[in-house]
Amino acid sequence: MDVRIETIDEIETARIRHVGPYNEVGRCFERLFEWAGSIGGQPGRVFSLSYDNPDTVAPESLRSDACLELRVDVTPPPDITIDTLAAGRYAIHTHRGPYDGITEAYRHLFSVWLPQSGEEVDDRPCMEIYRNSPLDTPPVELLTELCLPLRRLPEA
């Protein structure tokens, strides 16, 4: 598994909370893009934040945020939160292929890569950065960066 460690700078976001199976977050992205378009916003990166382990939390209780990188000076509707995702270190693996392979790729990151890496998981959510869109990309060519949050290195 090809994994690199990078620091991702803070990201100004518009986000909508989704509770339910991770693969059903698409409706939240549709709503975000609709709202961003209505205010003339120009979204940057498209990503999601995942808060729960699907192996230990029931599908109907999984929490995730659909996110757009977006700078706005308007008050959003009640279902959309505007805030800043803090910078942090991540182990990043680029998953190529359908989204239904993401869960297994995360399992590999946590069960194989992490124990051998000498790194520790931080308490921030996992992040998936979508590098292309299923609207115009065949499933086998989808690129998703799986970002596992890592603790900061100790100060020297």
Side-chain angles (χ1 to χ4, degrees):
M1 175 173 255
D2 184 32
V3 178
R4 65 191 187 279
I5 296 176
E6 293 181 9
T7 296
I8 296 177
D9 293 334
E10 68 180 28
I11 306 171
E12 293 185 44
T13 68
R15 63 172 104 180
I16 295 178
R17 174 60 51 99
H18 169 73
V19 178
Y22 285 147
N23 65 354
E24 294 178 6
V25 72
R27 294 183 316 266
C28 294
F29 281 110
E30 290 170 12
R31 171 76 177 110
L32 276 174
F33 278 111
E34 174 187 294
W35 174 74
S38 74
I39 62 165
Q42 296 298 315
R45 289 174 281 191
V46 177
F47 61 101
S48 64
L49 301 173
S50 303
Y51 296 88
D52 301 305
N53 180 343
D55 291 335
T56 60
V57 175
E60 65 275 7
S61 299
L62 293 170
R63 298 168 300 143
S64 61
D65 291 339
C67 305
L68 296 180
E69 180 177 28
L70 187 65
R71 289 188 175 105
V72 294
D73 292 324
V74 298
T75 301
D79 62 331
I80 297 175
T81 300
I82 303 295
D83 64 2
T84 301
L85 181 66
R89 290 178 68 240
Y90 291 88
I92 302 172
H93 167 68
T94 301
H95 172 75
R96 182 182 185 100
Y99 294 147
D100 61 6
I102 288 175
T103 299
E104 189 56 37
Y106 269 123
R107 281 189 186 113
H108 192 82
L109 267 172
F110 277 99
S111 67
V112 177
W113 180 84
L114 186 63
Q116 298 172 0
S117 71
E119 296 283 349
E120 293 182 37
V121 176
D122 197 12
D123 58 2
R124 295 171 286 129
C126 289
M127 179 168 47
E128 295 165 15
I129 302 173
Y130 306 103
R131 292 299 182 187
N132 49 17
S133 170
L135 299 177
D136 59 10
T137 305
V140 296
E141 294 179 20
L142 291 170
L143 296 174
T144 309
E145 290 186 344
L146 308 182
C147 305
L148 181 66
L150 300 175
R151 294 204 187 277
R152 293 178 190 254
L153 294 172
E155 299 288 326

